[in-house]
Amino acid sequence: MAGKRYRVAQWATGHTGISSLRSIIEHPQYDLVGLRVYADDKVGRDAGELCGLASTGVVATRDIEEILAARPDCVMYMPLLHQESIDDMCRILESGSNIVTTVVGFPHAGTLDPGVRERVEAACSRGGTSLYGTGSCPGFITEVVPLALLVMERRFDNIAIAQYADLSTRRSPEFLREIFGIDPATADLADGAARSERTDGAALRQIADAMSVPIDDITATSEIAVATKDTEIGVMTVPAGTVGAWRQDITGYHRGSPLFSYSRVKYVVRDLEPAWEVLNTGWHVSVRGDVPMEMDLRFASDGYGTWSPGINANLPVNSVADVCDARPGILTTAELPLVPNFSR
């Protein structure tokens, strides 16, 4: 809402969280009121210091009670996957604070574990609050872009999205070392496929439901390619013979026909076995209907490692006002305006 101010707390300061924190501090409508961190060496430090800005007077804490006591209108909930906590999320929601989260799996309420869904919806009801999960990658490419393109169609056959993500300059050593430079025998392909079905599948189901063509079935696969030579990247070495790229493919079907398909290739090296063709970071989208379309979205290469955290952080930041003003409950991209505010 124009002219209205929003009290915002940042939860976690990793690759995406630190970008979100900086944007909250600089946003013309937001007031930073809390900062939750996980690393001991960040506790007690000023939020501005942590993200390279001037002092804000808001210091980092590990205590959820301090975050709740600040009474934020919205908490930007962005922990790593193994640090997410439904208990914490429910406490935030029932305290009266909305949540915008990059934790995957929340954009489609029907895909959530029934017990988790019941707890989250009950917390929203008690707090009069909303939860918006920004979706896979996040939901810009799996939700926002499809909705924008499909408004051009009256007969819709299928949409296919191919993503390529060069992570070699990403400043997230903990994240990268979990999935790259590892023994291929230890790569859990079944888990990769299951994660894709749960996370990407939730995003695809949300859009299909919004268009009244629900997905009846989903197939998901995961595979790897190994580096053919030792390669130095920004934060680690990827030895020859270790995992240098991952690919997940997921397809959603309506009445037996492919409706949505999504392919993601994440890589840190280009010299691979098998010799996958890996494109520069971006997406290719193919729409088949009465108005067929092909679209490429590519990012500028200059300074990519510096500004790339915004790919995941900016959509959540831009959604805060809309989420705070929305109905209580689990929200979808299809029902939010998601209009950014660029006032100075």
Side-chain angles (χ1 to χ4, degrees):
M1 182 180 296
K4 184 175 178 181
R5 301 200 64 78
Y6 299 87
R7 297 167 60 83
V8 183
Q10 176 63 42
W11 189 293
T13 53
H15 177 79
T16 300
I18 205 72
S19 177
S20 173
L21 175 62
R22 187 180 302 112
S23 294
I24 291 166
I25 294 171
E26 295 177 333
H27 198 283
Q29 281 185 279
Y30 302 167
D31 297 311
L32 179 72
V33 297
L35 175 60
R36 165 68 158 95
V37 295
Y38 288 85
D40 290 337
D41 61 355
K42 294 180 180 180
V43 174
R45 295 172 63 185
D46 189 273
E49 175 195 353
L50 287 174
C51 65
L53 298 177
S55 177
T56 64
V58 176
V59 297
T61 181
R62 296 189 68 170
D63 187 351
I64 185 174
E65 299 299 337
E66 293 185 34
I67 301 300
L68 300 182
R71 300 193 64 80
D73 296 309
C74 187
V75 173
M76 306 296 281
Y77 189 78
M78 299 177 174
L80 296 174
L81 287 176
H82 66 278
Q83 293 171 329
E84 65 184 77
S85 167
I86 297 299
D87 290 342
D88 286 346
M89 296 177 77
C90 288
R91 288 197 62 196
I92 293 166
L93 291 166
E94 65 188 8
S95 76
S97 296
N98 301 285
I99 289 178
V100 174
T101 182
T102 53
V103 173
V104 292
F106 285 95
H108 185 257
T111 307
L112 287 172
D113 175 272
V116 170
R117 178 179 179 177
E118 182 179 358
R119 289 186 62 194
V120 169
E121 290 182 333
C124 289
S125 179
R126 288 191 293 269
T129 51
S130 305
L131 168 69
Y132 175 49
T134 54
S136 180
C137 297
F140 168 74
I141 193 61
T142 51
E143 296 163 32
V144 176
V145 170
L147 285 171
L149 294 180
L150 293 173
V151 78
M152 292 281 290
E153 308 293 328
R154 278 311 306 145
R155 192 197 77 245
F156 166 53
D157 298 326
N158 58 72
I159 183 169
I161 301 168
Q163 175 186 358
Y164 294 89
D166 181 355
L167 304 182
S168 61
T169 60
R170 179 164 173 163
R171 300 170 182 175
S172 304
E174 182 180 358
F175 167 75
L176 292 177
R177 288 176 179 139
E178 286 183 358
I179 57 175
F180 295 110
I182 64 173
D183 182 347
T186 67
D188 193 338
L189 300 183
D191 180 68
R195 283 178 179 271
S196 182
E197 180 172 349
R198 185 174 67 253
T199 59
D200 303 327
L204 300 186
R205 286 182 186 278
Q206 178 196 143
I207 298 305
D209 285 358
M211 297 189 303
S212 299
V213 282
I215 289 174
D216 307 319
D217 188 28
I218 281 183
T219 59
T221 60
S222 182
E223 55 187 321
I224 57 170
V226 300
T228 59
K229 61 182 181 181
D230 292 354
T231 306
E232 295 286 339
I233 62 173
V235 297
M236 61 185 287
T237 299
V238 182
T242 65
V243 174
W246 285 79
R247 179 164 61 206
Q248 277 86 37
D249 293 284
I250 183 168
T251 301
Y253 298 84
H254 176 71
R255 295 179 179 174
S257 297
L259 186 71
F260 283 96
S261 61
Y262 179 56
S263 172
R264 179 198 293 116
V265 177
K266 299 180 292 188
Y267 64 95
V268 289
V269 300
R270 290 175 179 265
D271 296 310
L272 297 165
E273 176 59 42
W276 292 354
E277 179 185 10
V278 290
L279 304 182
N280 292 334
T281 297
W283 300 283
H284 179 78
V285 184
S286 176
V287 178
R288 290 295 174 265
D290 55 337
V291 181
M293 287 183 281
E294 301 287 336
M295 183 181 71
D296 283 297
L297 287 171
R298 295 282 177 262
F299 296 104
S301 57
D302 293 345
Y304 176 78
T306 300
W307 55 257
S308 61
I311 297 173
N312 287 329
N314 290 349
L315 186 153
V317 171
N318 285 333
S319 71
V320 167
D322 297 321
V323 171
C324 289
D325 296 337
R327 63 166 179 84
I330 300 173
L331 304 174
T332 67
T333 297
E335 66 185 291
L336 292 175
L338 294 179
V339 178
N341 183 322
F342 295 112
S343 63
R344 294 292 185 267

